[in-house]
């Protein structure tokens, strides 16, 4: 079966712009989580959505937001981009969002210039 | 607050030698612990989870609640084990707290 798909894979944005990243989970998975990966901070949890509701949120400013659609696809948005937002954004899906393994996408690499 | 510490950023061993990647955690409850691996140019993937108590690709990890550790071990390293390894903790929800990762290099 198809894995977690993230689009776009690479993008470059200018400071102050906004960006929307998309994640299509594995078929049947209802939980989608987002992570930011940077060389300095490592992998950090952004938020998790389950059945179109945000269930968990990490310690990121309000510029970072997300949503989930009825087909479980999820988008995350970052507004007013800063240089420090340059990172690999990973999406992970799981069946129920409980203590089970997460399946990761290949990520969207965002560069802010 | 929950935290995962991987004290070694880099670890280099020779092929055939034993490997141990250290992971310590802080969490007041009963955590779920995982090891994830990322091979070059591949996506992050689950290697093993403590509740299944299985051996994957020759790797094992034992949860030591007294020492709050979940070290990853393999008796004989292989070149294909070279990768980035992340220890992660889940507190019962789909929120993984990751360590900073250890880059393992197996020398021929």
């Amino acid at each position: 079966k198809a894995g977690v798909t993230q689009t776009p894979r690479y993008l470059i944005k200018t400071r102050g712009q906004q960006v929307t990243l998309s994640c299509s989970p594995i078929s049947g998975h209802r939980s989608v989580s987002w992570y930011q990966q940077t060389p300095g901070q490592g992998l950090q949890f952004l938020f998790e959505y389950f059945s179109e509701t945000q269930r968990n949120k990490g310690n990121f400013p309000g510029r970072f937001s997300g949503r989930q659609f009825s087909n479980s696809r999820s988008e995350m948005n970052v507004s007013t981009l800063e240089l420090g937002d340059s990172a690999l954004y990973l999406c992970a899906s799981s069946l129920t969002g409980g203590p089970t393994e997460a399946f990761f996408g290949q990520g969207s690499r965002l560069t802010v210039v | 607050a929950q935290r995962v510490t991987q004290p070694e950023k880099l670890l280099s061993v020779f092929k055939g030698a034993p490997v141990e990647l250290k992971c310590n955690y802080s969490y007041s409850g009963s955590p779920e612990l995982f090891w994830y691996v990322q091979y070059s140019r591949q996506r992050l993937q689950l290697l093993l989870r403590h509740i299944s108590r299985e051996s994957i690709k020759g790797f094992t990890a034992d949860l030591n609640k007294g020492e709050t550790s979940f070290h990853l071990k393999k008796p004989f390293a292989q070149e294909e084990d070279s990768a980035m390894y992340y220890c992660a903790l889940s507190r019962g929800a789909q929120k993984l707290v990751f360590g900073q990762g250890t880059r393992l290099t197996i020398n021929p």
Side-chain angles (χ1 to χ4, degrees):
Chain A
K1 60 183 175 183
V4 178
T5 305
Q6 292 188 245
T7 57
R9 290 290 310 281
Y10 304 92
L11 67 166
I12 300 174
K13 290 286 187 178
T14 306
R15 271 182 302 175
Q17 287 187 313
Q18 74 164 16
V19 67
T20 299
L21 309 177
S22 178
C23 172
S24 293
I26 291 172
S27 178
H29 284 195
R30 296 168 64 189
S31 169
V32 173
S33 301
W34 289 90
Y35 294 82
Q36 182 195 64
Q37 186 176 27
T38 59
Q41 300 297 319
L43 277 154
Q44 292 186 289
F45 173 80
L46 281 156
F47 28 65
E48 183 233 352
Y49 286 86
F50 182 82
S51 293
E52 303 178 64
T53 302
Q54 186 183 88
R55 284 204 305 193
N56 288 288
K57 191 175 188 305
N59 297 323
F60 279 81
R63 299 185 298 107
F64 292 81
S65 63
R67 59 177 175 169
Q68 186 179 33
F69 302 95
S70 58
N71 61 358
S72 293
R73 189 178 71 85
S74 177
E75 288 182 347
M76 69 163 281
N77 184 77
V78 188
S79 62
T80 320
L81 283 166
E82 301 176 0
L83 295 178
D85 297 332
S86 294
L88 181 67
Y89 290 89
L90 292 174
C91 160
S93 77
S94 70
L95 271 170
T96 62
T100 178
E101 68 269 23
F103 292 85
F104 282 82
Q106 291 196 296
S108 293
R109 184 166 296 281
L110 169 67
T111 302
V112 183
V113 298
Chain B
Q2 57 265 26
R3 183 176 298 166
V4 176
T5 303
Q6 293 179 249
E8 304 138 328
K9 280 191 175 180
L10 303 170
L11 183 62
S12 183
V13 301
F14 286 101
K15 178 181 172 182
V19 173
E20 182 178 47
L21 290 86
K22 291 184 167 52
C23 172
N24 289 91
Y25 66 92
S26 62
Y27 180 63
S28 55
S30 295
E32 283 274 340
L33 283 151
F34 304 83
W35 276 98
Y36 280 83
V37 61
Q38 190 167 29
Y39 301 103
S40 179
R41 295 192 182 88
Q42 293 188 28
R43 63 186 68 193
L44 194 63
Q45 58 186 283
L46 177 71
L47 180 61
L48 53 79
R49 46 197 289 209
H50 91 270
I51 62 170
S52 57
R53 303 180 68 84
E54 57 195 343
S55 173
I56 302 292
K57 299 184 179 182
F59 284 98
T60 59
D62 290 319
L63 178 60
N64 186 322
K65 290 187 178 181
E67 296 182 358
T68 59
S69 68
F70 188 56
H71 303 328
L72 184 68
K73 300 177 184 179
K74 184 169 182 176
F76 307 103
Q78 298 173 299
E79 288 185 63
E80 54 265 34
D81 295 330
S82 293
M84 193 75 179
Y85 291 80
Y86 294 93
C87 182
L89 175 157
S90 167
R91 53 171 193 171
Q94 194 53 55
K95 174 184 175 179
L96 290 167
V97 177
F98 285 91
Q100 287 285 77
T102 298
R103 182 168 297 283
L104 175 64
T105 302
I106 308 301
N107 300 304

